[in-house]
Structures are given as C-alpha cells and as structure tokens.
Amino acid sequence: KISSIPEERQRALHIVSCFGTSIGSDVVHAMSEVAEYSFLGRELEYAYTDGFMERDSSSGGYKFAHDKVREAAYGQMKEEDRNMLHYHIGVALLNRGEGLESDNMLFLCVDQLNRGQAMISTPEEVLEAVEMNHSAASQALAACDFTAALKYAKTALKLVGEGNQFADYKRILFVMANAAYSCGVYEEASIAIDAILQDEVSLDEKLKFDVYDLKITMLVSRQEGKSAYITCLGVLRKLGDDAASPFVHDANDIDFQRRLDQISGQLEQVAETDLMSMNDMTNPAHLRLIHFYNQAAVISYFVQPKMIKRITCRLVELTLEHGVSKYTALSLVRYAMTLPSKEAYRIGKMAISLGNRFDLIDQIPSIYLSFYGYIAIYAQPVQSCTEMLKRAFEIGLSIKDLTTFHNSNQYIHKSLLAGTNLNLLRNFSQHQLRLISENAQTTAMMYATLFNTTISTLINKDEKVESGQEREDISKNPEFQGGLNFHGAMKSFWLGHYERCRYHCEQGITSSDVKQIKSVMMIFYNGISCFHSGKKYKSNRKLQSTVRNAIKVMRERREESPWNYGNKLNLLEAESYSFNGGCDEMAIRSYTAAIAASKSSKFVHEQGLSCELAAFHFKRRKELNTAVVYFKQAKACYEEWGSQVKVDAIIQQIDSIQ
C-alpha cells in the first residue's frame, strides 16, 4: 500500500521511520525549513489523512498508526539507502541555523549521523562527527544519562581511530572514563584513565587533577583504599605540598602536637561571623590541595586512622592561611570529628553555616554525613539528625554521588535509635538494598544487609537473632567487627537474650571508641542487661561495677543532650533502685521519669521498654494489677514502634498474670 502513494509521501514516511515510531513537531519544523525536505510537514499531514500516521499528543508531532507501518516504511529502503538517509537527516539538522539549540535536537542530530556514519568519508566530516559526539557525550554526562554518554564517547573515539591526533582526544577519554565509572564498567574506566595519564606532562592542570580525582574516587568504590590513599598522597606531592610527607612517615609527635595546639588555639578564637568575613580562597592550587586533603581524610578513616588528625589539621591550616572556599565546610567538619564533643559541635555548626555563602550542593552528602552522623548526634535530638541524613541521601542520589549510600545507612542506624516505625524503616532499607545492588557498592551493601537483618528481627519473632552466613561474610573484614557486635547486642537486648547481649557489648565496647554512639548504646544495653542476665545482681560485683559505669556514662551524655540520654539515665537508676531493694519509692519515681522523658523525646520504643521494666518491678512485688496496667502501656508503645516480637512477648506476660 505504501508503494502506491506519491513519492514525496513515501519519503516522508521513510524519514519518520529513521527516528523510530514517532517524530516531534520541533523536528518536523526543523526539517521542513531545509529546502530538500520542505515537503515533510505537508506530506505528513496527508499521511495522517490516509491513515498511515496519527497525532502524537506527547510531542505535538506524528506517530505511526501501527508498528507494522513503521517496519514496512523502513524495510522498503535498502541498507545503503537507509545509511544515506540517516546521514543526510543528521547533516540537515546540523546545517540548519538553529538546529542544535536544545540538547534533544543535538542528540537527535548525532544519532542520525552515527547511524549513517558509513557515509562519512572526508577528514572534515570525521572531525565534525567527532566534535558532535564529544559534545553529546559531555551533555549526556552532565544530565546524568551515563549510558548515552558512554555510547557517544565510544563513537567519538572510534571515529578518531588509532592516530589519536584529535586535539580533544584525552578530554573525550575523560568523558568516557567518567561515564564508564558511573555505569559500573570499572575496567573500561581504568583503561581510559591510564591512557590519559601516560603522558600527564602534556595535560593542562585542570584536566590532570580531574583525572586523578576520578581515579581516586573509583579506587574507593572498588574497595581499594590503600591504593586510593597512596594516590592521594602522590597528588598532594605533585601539587607541591611538602606537608604531605608526614602522612606517609610519621612526623615527630612533639612537633605535630605543637602545630595542633597552635591551630586549636587559633580556631577557638574564630566565631561564625569571623568565618563568614574571611577572604575567599582563589588560588586554584590551594583549592586543589583542600580538595585532595579532604579525600585523604575520608580514605584514612578506613586505612590509616592514626593519620586522620594530622590530615584534618593540615586542612584547617590551609584555610587559616589562604581563606575559605566551597571545600572549607567539609574540611572543618572533618577536623571537628577529632575534637571533644562540645568544641566539635561549635565548629561543625560554623561549617554548616558556610552553606549561606557557597553553593555546597555537591558537598552536602559528605558534610551532612560527618556532622549529623558523628557530631550533632551528641547534642541535637536524634530525630533531627535522621531527617538531615535522609535529606543528604536524597541529594546524593539526585547528583549521582555513590558515597551517599553511607548517608542512608547512617539514616537507618540513627532511625533505629530514634524509635522510627520499623515497618517504614524496613521498606526504606529494602529499597536502599536494591539501589546499592544496582550500583555495586560492596561496603555499603554489607552495612545495609546488617541493618536490614536487624530491622526484620525486631519485627518478626521467627527471624533468627543472628545469621551464621552474615557473621562469616563480615568477619572477613575487621572493619565490620564493631558493627557486627553492635547489631548482635541490639537484637539480643530487644529479644530479651540478656546474657548474649552482654557478650556482644563486652566484645564491642573498647576504650578507643567509647564515645561513639554505638558504644554509648552498648553501655546502656549492657547496664540494663546486668539486672536480667540470670545472675544474682546484688552479690555480683562485676555486674554492679558495669551498672555504675553505665549510669556514669549516661549522666555525662545527658549533660550534652538531655533529649537523647535523660530517659536512659532515669531507667538505669530506676532499675538500680528496684534491684537494690528498700528503695521502692525512688524506683517508682525514676520509672515514671523514664516513661515521661521517653515520651517527651519521642522514643516510643524506649517508652515501651520503661513501661515494661516498670511492670516487671511491680510484678516482682506481687502488685499484679498495677503490673498489667504498665504491660498494656508497653504493648501500645511496641505496637506503635512496629515490633511484633515485643508485642507478642508482652501479651504472654499479661496472659500469665490474668
């Protein structure tokens, strides 16, 4: 039937078939302005009348009435004719004065040229096609369409051939490396990076250090922390910073302490207004130093933790010497992580305030992870920290920052401590696991799996407290031992396996990380468990000592954040009064205070715990009616938390009394 319609109408159908099943009104308009295709708009209208085409409401153009019509139109042309038509369409769009105003028109033009690239013959045509693909690859990369960017970059490199004489050859390689990394094709990205750096002397400074930046980021993603750290230090030396040497070989501790004291003294005098009025850091070399030291600070946390303080000290030195930049906030917050809580919080808040001066969108995931995950948690309500960590995760996803999965893991961690509904948290956790799997983030996956298992255990009474496979996988990496013990302690505590909880707590609490939030919580779990571990508390000095230490730590933490720790201190004191005997009035007063403080701080899970332990207090004293009242309050709290395993346990207690 197509063969029987006028020739120009057939050509119109052929043209549309080259674009797929439809053609937008902007393309019809652009093509019709070229003399050779001036008939297109008119003939498509006739094709619509004839029933070959339909209106396409989404693009304002036309679409084939059926896929078979498109197949027939495209199949009517010989392969050489198709290639020729694709090429001519691309040239027509390219030569049109305003043909490439939009990104979409650029991609359409390049796609047509590429499908007809067999027709490209002269050096000038090759050069033009290379430039077009380079431009399309760069724009696709900026739009986070990494698959398209990789395709265009590869096409450009194929057109360049083996001569590599094209002026922007290494820039195309860099776009390809970026796109390949973002697509998870690490081997291709690594080959491209090595090819660029073969002759790094010939590279301009910006491209050279952008390539090193990508290389370090990729090494971190591939869990090659030591290589990433060594590369970082090498870059710092290339930048001429002699201070990088002590991060390979320890500097004299006395000299370093003198420097650190000097910097701490200077920073103590800096207020937020002083920071906001500092001059901008404008020297590109200084900006690069700050950036690569920031990278070194993150990597050293995993591979050279003893160097963190030295590296962050250097970051602050550079800021005080040369002014502030968009990287200063991250530098300050990482330095703050090495300080006592009160000063850390002050400096961290100053760092956050720099968001009013600089566009920090690409820094937000890292800044918020450090501040709300490790600093603010000791001063602000934990719920406010979870909100900011979730926001950082969402921002990270929007800018394709793969490190943002550490924000989502921290969000889940802090949400567990905050008493967020477990079912909502499990939905988030499972969604996160899918995203991490798609992006091949091994470290993030191991942490996320731990959290998901813990959440499921707290919801479902049939879930095992521990997974043998989980322990086997994670035990291969010493970095995860602390996390494994924390999760073991948390699950055992809430399931009432107090001896097992105490084992995990004693394994997980070390003097070096006693101020970390997971250690603080294990100290709390351990303290409560001492009263219920099956041993006689009143005659066991070790248990009594553990409880006294737990009360001491909670009292210290309450001084910094009554919201987060006041209820925990009240509950430990209530249990102590209850089990020591002869202090019923003080015990009841402390249980009441623990329940009220938990409710006020929105810790519904710990409100339930306080009610449950108060119920056991009255049950031990044979005041069964009062015990039932408190058990019912605990049940309501655990239902709100979403923990069916705790609800079932409370129901058993009520049934045993009634």
Side-chain angles (χ1 to χ4, degrees):
K1 189 175 179 181
I2 292 176
S3 302
S4 65
I5 64 177
E7 185 179 342
E8 285 191 338
R9 202 161 306 160
Q10 290 185 51
R11 289 185 65 198
L13 295 180
H14 293 163
I15 290 169
V16 178
S17 72
C18 286
F19 287 97
T21 58
S22 64
I23 187 169
S25 59
D26 56 341
V27 181
V28 174
H29 177 71
M31 293 288 293
S32 298
E33 287 191 349
V34 178
E36 186 180 353
Y37 303 107
S38 58
F39 61 85
L40 184 61
R42 180 187 72 244
E43 292 301 328
L44 284 177
E45 188 62 28
Y46 286 136
Y48 166 70
T49 304
D50 292 342
F52 292 106
M53 306 298 292
E54 295 177 349
R55 304 286 188 197
D56 185 5
S57 58
S58 62
S59 68
Y62 300 89
K63 63 182 179 179
F64 283 105
H66 196 281
D67 288 345
K68 293 295 183 183
V69 180
R70 191 262 172 185
E71 290 175 14
Y74 198 64
Q76 197 178 36
M77 298 181 286
K78 295 178 181 178
E79 183 176 355
E80 185 177 349
D81 293 335
R82 291 176 195 167
N83 291 338
M84 184 67 74
L85 183 54
H86 280 300
Y87 177 70
H88 283 164
I89 291 172
V91 171
L93 292 174
L94 175 62
N95 291 337
R96 179 179 172 271
E98 300 175 357
L100 304 181
E101 278 186 341
S102 69
D103 291 348
N104 183 55
M105 195 66 77
L106 168 65
F107 298 140
L108 286 172
C109 175
V110 176
D111 287 340
Q112 293 300 318
L113 286 174
N114 289 344
R115 295 188 70 177
Q117 68 179 266
M119 300 296 109
I120 298 174
S121 56
T122 69
E124 291 76 17
E125 290 172 345
V126 171
L127 177 61
E128 192 165 50
V130 170
E131 289 176 342
M132 295 286 290
N133 276 281
H134 183 198
S135 180
S138 299
Q139 293 194 37
L141 187 66
C144 298
D145 188 348
F146 304 121
T147 303
L150 185 58
K151 177 187 72 174
Y152 291 128
K154 283 184 171 182
T155 302
L157 293 170
K158 178 183 175 183
L159 287 164
V160 170
E162 297 182 3
N164 304 346
Q165 299 302 311
F166 183 65
D168 280 340
Y169 175 73
K170 291 195 173 182
R171 293 188 183 280
I172 299 173
L173 272 176
F174 180 57
V175 173
M176 179 194 152
N178 257 301
Y181 161 69
S182 299
C183 289
V185 191
Y186 295 138
E187 194 61 36
E188 288 188 16
S190 182
I191 291 170
I193 288 171
D194 290 344
I196 298 170
L197 294 175
Q198 272 182 354
D199 182 24
E200 66 175 77
V201 178
S202 65
L203 299 176
D204 69 63
E205 291 290 285
K206 184 180 186 309
L207 177 59
K208 177 168 68 176
F209 291 110
D210 283 349
V211 173
Y212 273 115
D213 187 25
L214 176 60
K215 180 175 183 176
I216 292 164
T217 302
M218 190 170 71
L219 287 170
V220 171
S221 296
R222 297 178 71 172
Q223 319 302 316
E224 297 178 33
K226 289 184 179 179
S227 296
Y229 184 70
I230 292 169
T231 304
C232 249
L233 299 183
V235 171
L236 290 168
R237 287 193 291 272
K238 288 177 188 293
L239 286 166
D241 193 56
D242 294 334
S245 297
F247 306 131
V248 185
H249 308 290
D250 284 359
N252 183 285
D253 283 339
I254 297 175
D255 291 341
F256 170 70
Q257 191 59 50
R258 190 180 299 117
R259 282 173 57 209
L260 183 61
D261 291 343
Q262 182 180 357
I263 290 167
S264 299
Q266 286 180 271
L267 211 50
E268 284 175 4
Q269 306 304 313
V270 176
E272 183 178 319
T273 52
D274 300 322
L275 189 67
M276 297 298 284
S277 63
M278 280 186 184
N279 292 331
D280 282 356
M281 184 184 292
T282 56
N283 187 316
H286 296 151
L287 289 169
R288 290 186 187 113
L289 277 174
I290 286 280
H291 176 65
F292 283 104
Y293 267 118
N294 268 320
Q295 283 201 323
V298 176
I299 301 165
S300 65
Y301 181 83
F302 298 102
V303 299
Q304 289 285 350
K306 64 182 180 180
M307 293 299 175
I308 293 173
K309 185 167 283 192
R310 296 175 185 274
I311 294 171
T312 55
C313 171
R314 181 61 181 147
L315 280 166
V316 175
E317 275 184 332
L318 289 167
T319 295
L320 294 175
E321 289 172 12
H322 305 295
V324 294
S325 71
K326 65 177 293 184
Y327 301 115
T328 299
L330 191 54
S331 302
L332 287 175
V333 81
R334 282 179 175 154
Y335 172 73
M337 289 173 66
T338 69
L339 301 175
S341 333
K342 189 173 181 179
E343 180 65 1
Y345 186 61
R346 184 187 76 84
I347 292 176
K349 283 182 68 178
M350 285 200 306
I352 295 292
S353 72
L354 285 171
N356 298 321
R357 178 169 173 179
F358 299 100
D359 178 9
L360 301 178
I361 190 68
D362 60 329
Q363 306 281 310
I364 287 293
S366 297
I367 294 170
Y368 281 20
L369 175 64
S370 299
F371 183 67
Y372 293 106
Y374 298 97
I375 297 173
I377 193 69
Y378 298 105
Q380 294 182 193
V382 65
Q383 292 89 346
S384 68
C385 294
T386 64
E387 291 170 8
M388 302 310 289
L389 288 165
K390 188 176 183 182
R391 181 185 170 202
F393 169 63
E394 291 166 348
I395 290 173
L397 282 183
S398 70
I399 62 174
K400 303 294 182 181
D401 179 355
L402 298 183
T403 63
T404 196
F405 291 117
H406 296 301
N407 283 294
S408 59
N409 279 326
Q410 282 296 319
Y411 163 72
I412 294 174
H413 178 205
K414 302 308 185 285
S415 294
L416 273 171
L417 302 183
T420 301
N421 180 271
L422 292 170
N423 291 292
L424 294 177
L425 207 52
R426 180 167 61 179
N427 291 340
F428 178 90
S429 173
Q430 291 174 347
H431 172 62
Q432 178 205 214
L433 279 170
R434 288 191 292 272
L435 291 175
I436 294 174
S437 178
E438 290 169 5
N439 289 277
Q441 297 294 294
T442 307
T443 302
M445 175 61 80
M446 294 181 76
Y447 279 118
T449 301
L450 268 177
F451 284 119
N452 192 61
T453 301
T454 297
I455 294 167
S456 297
T457 300
L458 296 178
I459 292 173
N460 184 356
K461 67 179 181 180
D462 296 322
E463 191 83 28
K464 291 182 180 179
V465 176
E466 295 175 3
S467 163
Q469 184 62 46
E470 174 185 293
R471 173 175 286 278
E472 181 181 341
D473 291 343
I474 296 175
S475 64
K476 295 175 184 176
N477 191 333
E479 174 192 331
F480 295 98
Q481 286 305 306
L484 192 62
N485 282 309
F486 170 75
H487 283 270
M490 187 180 201
K491 290 183 288 188
S492 300
F493 177 79
W494 287 105
L495 293 179
H497 301 159
Y498 294 114
E499 273 299 316
R500 187 180 297 172
C501 176
R502 292 195 62 244
Y503 167 79
H504 285 300
C505 289
E506 289 174 4
Q507 291 291 311
I509 299 169
T510 65
S511 58
S512 60
D513 68 353
V514 73
K515 291 186 177 180
Q516 290 187 12
I517 188 71
K518 65 183 180 184
S519 293
V520 173
M521 289 307 300
M522 282 192 283
I523 289 170
F524 171 68
Y525 295 149
N526 200 16
I528 295 294
S529 296
C530 285
F531 298 108
H532 305 275
S533 62
K535 298 178 180 178
K536 293 293 185 180
Y537 168 74
K538 291 179 70 174
S539 60
N540 191 308
R541 291 185 179 180
K542 182 179 179 182
L543 295 180
Q544 292 173 7
S545 175
T546 300
V547 169
R548 284 195 298 272
N549 179 63
I551 290 174
K552 175 177 175 289
V553 170
M554 291 308 127
R555 189 169 285 131
E556 291 169 353
R557 298 277 76 81
R558 186 188 62 175
E559 291 300 311
E560 296 175 344
S561 178
W563 179 287
N564 291 336
Y565 299 105
N567 68 310
K568 298 172 181 63
L569 174 61
N570 290 333
L571 188 54
L572 279 165
E573 290 177 335
E575 290 282 272
S576 181
Y577 288 132
S578 176
F579 279 85
N580 281 326
C583 303
D584 276 10
E585 184 179 345
M586 292 299 296
I588 294 170
R589 187 179 301 173
S590 294
Y591 282 124
T592 303
I595 294 168
S598 297
K599 183 176 182 179
S600 175
S601 295
K602 307 186 190 312
F603 295 142
V604 67
H605 59 322
E606 291 173 355
Q607 182 183 347
L609 176 66
S610 300
C611 292
E612 179 184 3
L613 296 183
F616 279 118
H617 168 81
F618 287 107
K619 185 179 179 181
R620 286 191 295 273
R621 280 147 185 75
K622 310 301 181 184
E623 298 180 37
L624 300 184
N625 290 335
T626 304
V628 169
V629 171
Y630 278 100
F631 275 132
K632 287 182 176 179
Q633 290 178 14
K635 176 174 172 286
C637 291
Y638 290 142
E639 285 174 339
E640 185 177 343
W641 185 28
S643 176
Q644 189 59 45
V645 67
K646 290 299 296 181
V647 170
D648 291 344
I650 296 299
I651 289 173
Q652 288 181 0
Q653 289 295 330
I654 295 173
D655 289 346
S656 71
I657 294 174
Q658 294 181 333

